[in-house]
Amino acid sequence: MKTIGLIGGMSWESTQLYYQFINRKVKQQLGGLNSAKVMINSVNFAEIAEYQQQNRWQDAGEALAENARQLQCADADMVLICANTMHKVYDQVQSAVDIPVLHMADCVAKAILQKNLNTVALLGTKYTMQLPFYRERLAMHGIQAMTPDEATQDQLHQIIYQELCLGIVNAESAKKFQSMIEDLTSQGAQGIILGCTELVLFIEQLALSTAIFDSAQIHAEAAVDLALGNANFSDFSFPKTPTTTT
């Protein structure tokens, strides 16, 4: 079994779910007393959030790159960034280590394609919805990602940072979130990406018929498949552009 390295703490509310998802999957696959080999290198989210707010992505990337280097030095076989938004600095983190960094959007894309869908809605922080890094990664797999209007993005961003990241699950906010999903579904979304790892905290309060793609669970379970040798990193890579010969 390979060792999974997690860069967590963004927020710790969702990082603990990663640990649960990973170990439940290992138990499901191996049974008995088996549990995952996991290392968690957790950041202070207040520092990372400040970098985000100040548009200091290079500094944020270096902070996570250092966490990845520490995991590699501790003999982790792979690294997961346990936050959708921080995949903005994915290339910086991957270039800092020699072990693979499993990209969350690649894992989510694979799950979407397995359901034969190609148009989904992306819900998360305003950084994830507004900046192109996540949507472009999905587009590499042939998936179009819709996002809500700016006012809705701001509302959801506030709910994430002022409630969910603090462990507050507000029933009224859950209703607002369900309304966002229904609006996007009516506009043609075939499924919904929970593009913030904290959004899964709403799931039990929602009544949904739309396909839901929980990025945290998908990411965590993909890591288990890799750790147990049931998948290869190439399985999550986006299709390469065919080479034309003359």
Side-chain angles (χ1 to χ4, degrees):
M1 185 190 301
K2 292 184 172 64
T3 300
I4 301 169
L6 304 178
I7 301 178
M10 302 171 288
S11 67
W12 71 262
E13 295 286 345
S14 61
T15 302
Q16 65 177 339
L17 294 176
Y18 265 83
Y19 191 73
Q20 291 176 5
F21 292 145
I22 288 170
N23 280 290
R24 285 173 182 168
K25 177 83 169 182
V26 168
K27 183 177 181 180
Q28 178 187 24
Q29 293 291 314
L30 301 181
L33 297 176
N34 285 287
S35 57
K37 294 181 179 180
V38 180
M39 298 177 183
I40 302 177
N41 199 354
S42 195
V43 303
N44 180 355
F45 189 36
E47 297 173 359
I48 300 299
E50 185 173 350
Y51 288 145
Q52 294 173 345
Q53 293 163 9
Q54 296 176 357
N55 202 31
R56 294 168 59 190
W57 294 103
Q58 183 70 25
D59 291 333
E62 179 50 38
L64 267 58
E66 178 57 26
N67 276 259
R69 285 190 286 264
Q70 291 169 359
L71 288 167
Q72 177 174 273
C73 288
D75 292 332
D77 294 298
M78 69 188 82
V79 171
L80 277 66
I81 302 170
C82 300
N84 288 269
T85 294
M86 293 314 297
H87 281 72
K88 169 76 168 65
V89 299
Y90 170 85
D91 290 338
Q92 193 175 347
V93 176
Q94 178 62 90
S95 65
V97 292
D98 299 320
I99 57 177
V101 180
L102 183 61
H103 200 296
M104 183 182 285
D106 291 340
C107 301
V108 171
K110 182 178 180 181
I112 293 168
L113 294 175
Q114 285 176 340
K115 290 189 175 291
N116 297 315
L117 306 180
N118 56 29
T119 303
V120 294
L122 173 62
L123 293 172
T125 69
K126 66 180 181 182
Y127 309 116
T128 299
M129 293 185 287
Q130 292 177 4
L131 298 175
F133 70 95
Y134 207 99
R135 286 178 283 109
E136 288 180 350
R137 191 81 178 196
L138 293 172
M140 292 175 178
H141 296 270
I143 296 168
Q144 177 186 355
M146 304 166 52
T147 54
D149 59 55
E150 187 172 350
T152 302
Q153 291 183 20
D154 289 341
Q155 184 181 51
L156 182 55
H157 185 86
Q158 182 176 3
I159 289 171
I160 291 169
Y161 278 83
Q162 296 185 14
E163 296 178 21
L164 297 180
C165 285
L166 299 175
I168 300 169
V169 183
N170 184 293
E172 189 60 33
S173 295
K175 291 179 182 177
K176 292 177 182 177
F177 185 61
Q178 176 156 343
S179 179
M180 294 175 195
I181 291 174
E182 291 170 351
D183 287 346
L184 288 161
T185 301
S186 70
Q187 295 172 35
Q190 301 166 320
I192 306 295
I193 299 173
L194 302 184
C196 171
T197 52
E198 281 77 23
L199 289 175
V200 66
L201 298 174
F202 275 147
I203 283 294
E204 293 183 358
Q205 299 194 40
L206 303 179
L208 301 170
S209 58
T210 308
I212 298 294
F213 298 94
D214 176 3
S215 59
Q217 184 168 359
I218 291 168
H219 199 202
E221 293 186 351
V224 173
D225 286 337
L226 293 167
L228 299 182
N230 297 327
N232 299 310
F233 283 95
S234 59
D235 295 336
F236 301 96
S237 300
F238 55 82
K240 303 295 189 296
T241 303
T243 301
T244 303
T245 58
T246 57

